Amino acid sequence: MKTVLKFLIAVSIVCGAIVFTSSCKDHDKDDQTTIIGTWNVAQSRVGVSLNANASNTEAEIEAAIANYLQVAVNSKVVFSSTKVTFSYSLNGAEMKSETFDYTLNNSTLSIVLPIDNPKNLTADAGLTDNTLKVTFDKPSYTALLKYYAEKDPDFKTYIDQISEASVYYRLER
């Protein structure tokens, strides 16, 4: 009888340890219901719609835009409750890190820019597990590209060939 009792106590201790450690694992996981935290850029993709007078291909213009305004793959994006910080390069210059105010309402991400047009860069943001998919909408992203094109005649030759553009980023924790 003592052997059976010892065996039951040992099984109870093992079961209790399993339940205790498995419940702790849930607390150790990243919070998968919020964008707050540090993310890695896993993928980016520019998409454009060409004007009828375009002399370059879609692929050439998409590459020119991606190289001009670059948020590098494997770079970090950090969201706090009201700010987002990320590094980007403009026209091949050295990467610089900047912090912007942002809001997130339902799945609409809006980043406040320090320029007048566009004042906000808006995106559809979809969060599933540890992946955040962000697609910046065509009107605000196109306006941002036109803003930079007014300052750079070479870049303007590409932007004058598009009617609209968007960019997609896949971020992972």
Side-chain angles (χ1 to χ4, degrees), residues 15-29:
C15 289
I18 291 171
V19 169
F20 177 76
T21 57
S22 66
S23 67
C24 290
K25 287 181 185 176
D26 288 342
H27 297 293
D28 293 340
K29 290 182 183 176

Side-chain angles (χ1 to χ4, degrees), residues 106-142:
N106 296 320
S107 64
T108 301
L109 173 67
S110 182
I111 298 174
V112 180
L113 300 176
I115 58 177
D116 290 331
N117 188 24
K119 186 65 182 157
N120 294 304
L121 190 57
T122 56
D124 177 51
L127 177 62
T128 51
D129 295 327
N130 286 316
T131 302
L132 177 61
K133 296 178 181 178
V134 178
T135 304
F136 287 97
D137 70 19
K138 293 174 182 176
S140 66
Y141 190 67
T142 303

Side-chain angles (χ1 to χ4, degrees), residues 64-85:
I65 292 170
N67 290 328
Y68 189 87
L69 182 57
Q70 184 180 51
V71 176
V73 170
N74 295 323
S75 65
K76 303 274 187 227
V77 177
V78 180
F79 286 94
S80 70
S81 59
T82 60
K83 308 261 186 210
V84 60
T85 302

